[in-house]
Amino acid sequence: MSNAILITGSNGQLGTVLRTSLQQKYGKDKVIASDLRPSPNYDGIFETLDATNEEDLATIIKKYGIKEIYHLAAILSANGEKNPLASWNVNMMAFLNVLEASRLNGVEKIFYPSSIAVFGESAALENTPNDTFLDPLTAYGISKSAGEMWANYYFHKYDLDVRSLRYPGVIGYQSIPGGGTTDYAVEIYHSAVKEEAFNCFLKEDETLPMIFMEDAIRATIELMEAPREKIKIRTSYNLAGASFSPKEVAASIKEIYPRFEIIYAPDHRQEIAAKWPNSIDDSAARNDWGWQAEYDLKKMTATMIEKLRR
C-alpha cells in the first residue's frame, strides 16, 4: 500500500465522521484509522496507536506508506482543566511526534486541528480576527496555540505542508460529546429528543461560535485538497459556522418540541466559555481557499432532531 492517509484519535467526535468521509472519497484501503483502543463498529483498517509513542507512529507510517496525516488525538478543554499537565503532555508530545515522524518518513501533508480556545482576554469578543494576539487561559488553549507555532515552524524550516483550522464548537449527531466546553450544544438535542429537561452548564446568554459537523468535515477536506499556493496562513485559519447562545438553541428546539424545558446551572465551564469569542471572522479562509458555511442554527436544529429521532 502507498499514498495512504492516517487518522490519529479517530474514535473521537470528529474522527468517527472524518474517517468515513475519507473512506468514501479515497477508498477503504487508503484510510488507516488509529486510536488508543479499537473501535468495535468501524469498518476499515484500524491500528491501535498511542500517538505519544514516536516509534509506533513511525512504524505505522512506514507499514502503509502514509502520505497524509489527520492528527486529531488530544485531550479537550473541560477535561484538560482537570489535569492541565497531562493535557499539555498528551497534546504537545503527540503533535511533535507527528511532525518529526512525518519529516523523517516522507509524509507530505498534515492536518492539525486548532480551536477557538487559543483566544484569550486580548482577543476581540465580536468577529475575532484571524491575526490577533493569543493569550489562552486553559491548558487546552495553551497547547493548541503552541501547536500552531510548531506547525508554522515545520513549514518554514522543513517545508512540511502542515495545514490547520481553528474549530469553533462542533455540533454533530454521529457520536457522544467528548468533554468540550461547547458540548452543551450537542447534549441539548439528545435531551430534547428524549423529551427530558436539559441542565445547561452555561449561562442562557453565553454566545459562542459553533459549526455543524457536516460543515466542519467539508472545511477540513477542502483545506487539505486546496492547492498549496492558496494556503497563505501556516499557523491556523479561523473557521465559522453560526454563533448562538443556549437560550437561542432552546428557542429553536421549542419550535419542534413546545414543552422542552432548559434549566441553567453554570459550572466551571462557564468561566472557560466567558473568555472565548462570541463570533469569529473567517474571511481569510473564505478569501484564500473558498470556504463557505451551509448550516445556520435553524438548519442545525432541524437536522439534529431528525437524525437523533431515527
Side-chain angles (χ1 to χ4, degrees):
M1 190 187 294
S2 60
N3 298 324
I5 296 167
L6 174 65
I7 308 168
T8 70
S10 76
N11 292 351
Q13 185 194 17
L14 204 68
T16 49
V17 187
L18 179 66
R19 64 195 186 189
T20 305
S21 299
L22 290 173
Q23 280 182 333
Q24 288 166 352
K25 197 163 188 65
Y26 300 111
K28 279 187 182 178
D29 63 331
K30 292 291 185 187
V31 179
I32 317 304
S34 73
D35 212 311
L36 289 170
R37 52 194 65 86
S39 179
N41 301 320
Y42 178 59
D43 180 19
I45 304 168
F46 188 92
E47 289 278 354
T48 303
L49 173 68
D50 179 349
T52 62
N53 187 317
E54 190 183 351
E55 195 176 319
D56 289 353
L57 178 62
T59 299
I60 290 172
I61 290 171
K62 291 172 195 166
K63 178 179 176 180
Y64 295 101
I66 301 293
K67 291 299 176 188
E68 285 189 24
I69 297 178
Y70 288 77
H71 174 56
L72 306 182
I75 295 174
L76 300 183
S77 57
N79 285 343
E81 288 309 286
K82 294 172 189 170
N83 194 335
L85 296 185
S87 176
W88 171 263
N89 286 336
V90 169
N91 294 358
M92 288 316 306
M93 284 314 304
F95 185 42
L96 288 170
N97 282 347
V98 166
L99 290 170
E100 270 298 278
S102 297
R103 177 178 75 85
L104 297 170
N105 295 289
V107 175
E108 294 169 0
K109 208 184 284 185
I110 295 169
F111 175 74
Y112 173 68
S114 190
S115 163
I116 58 166
V118 300
F119 300 118
E121 292 178 322
S122 298
L125 287 177
E126 302 296 341
N127 225 23
T128 309
N130 211 106
D131 185 16
T132 189
F133 189 75
L134 305 182
D135 54 353
L137 285 165
T138 61
Y140 177 68
I142 291 166
S143 69
K144 285 296 176 188
S145 60
E148 288 187 15
M149 301 305 124
W150 280 112
N152 192 48
Y153 178 84
Y154 269 75
F155 172 73
H156 287 285
K157 188 169 179 72
Y158 302 114
D159 199 36
L160 191 59
D161 190 355
V162 192
R163 306 178 181 199
S164 177
L165 295 173
R166 288 174 183 150
Y167 290 116
V170 178
I171 297 176
Y173 54 86
Q174 294 93 337
S175 62
I176 302 300
T181 301
T182 55
D183 280 345
Y184 89 86
V186 179
E187 293 164 5
I188 193 170
Y189 292 110
H190 285 266
S191 293
V193 170
K194 290 177 191 167
E195 299 190 30
E196 296 172 352
F198 177 66
N199 287 298
C200 184
F201 54 73
L202 298 183
K203 291 179 180 176
E204 66 174 2
D205 59 351
E206 187 57 69
T207 300
L208 287 169
M210 301 285 185
I211 193 166
F212 197 58
M213 178 66 79
E214 273 75 354
D215 273 345
I217 296 295
R218 184 169 54 81
T220 304
I221 295 172
E222 284 178 6
L223 173 75
M224 289 295 273
E225 289 186 337
R228 185 180 166 117
E229 64 273 11
K230 287 189 177 286
I231 308 301
K232 306 284 201 298
I233 294 171
R234 290 295 177 167
T235 47
S236 193
Y237 278 98
N238 279 1
L239 186 69
S243 288
F244 47 79
S245 66
K247 186 179 179 181
E248 289 170 304
V249 186
S252 75
I253 290 170
K254 281 180 182 178
E255 289 181 19
I256 301 167
Y257 290 99
R259 295 169 65 185
F260 176 70
E261 187 184 355
I262 184 168
I263 299 146
Y264 297 98
D267 63 14
H268 64 282
R269 288 166 285 194
Q270 171 57 41
E271 294 171 34
I272 297 173
K275 296 178 176 71
W276 287 357
N278 300 333
S279 58
I280 294 287
D281 175 9
D282 63 357
S283 55
R286 286 187 270 120
N287 294 337
D288 289 0
W289 43 276
W291 159 246
Q292 191 66 51
E294 290 180 1
Y295 284 80
D296 59 12
L297 175 57
K298 187 171 183 175
K299 192 174 177 183
M300 282 187 207
T301 296
T303 308
M304 284 294 288
I305 287 174
E306 180 205 339
K307 297 291 186 181
L308 289 175
R309 272 176 175 168
R310 286 185 192 174

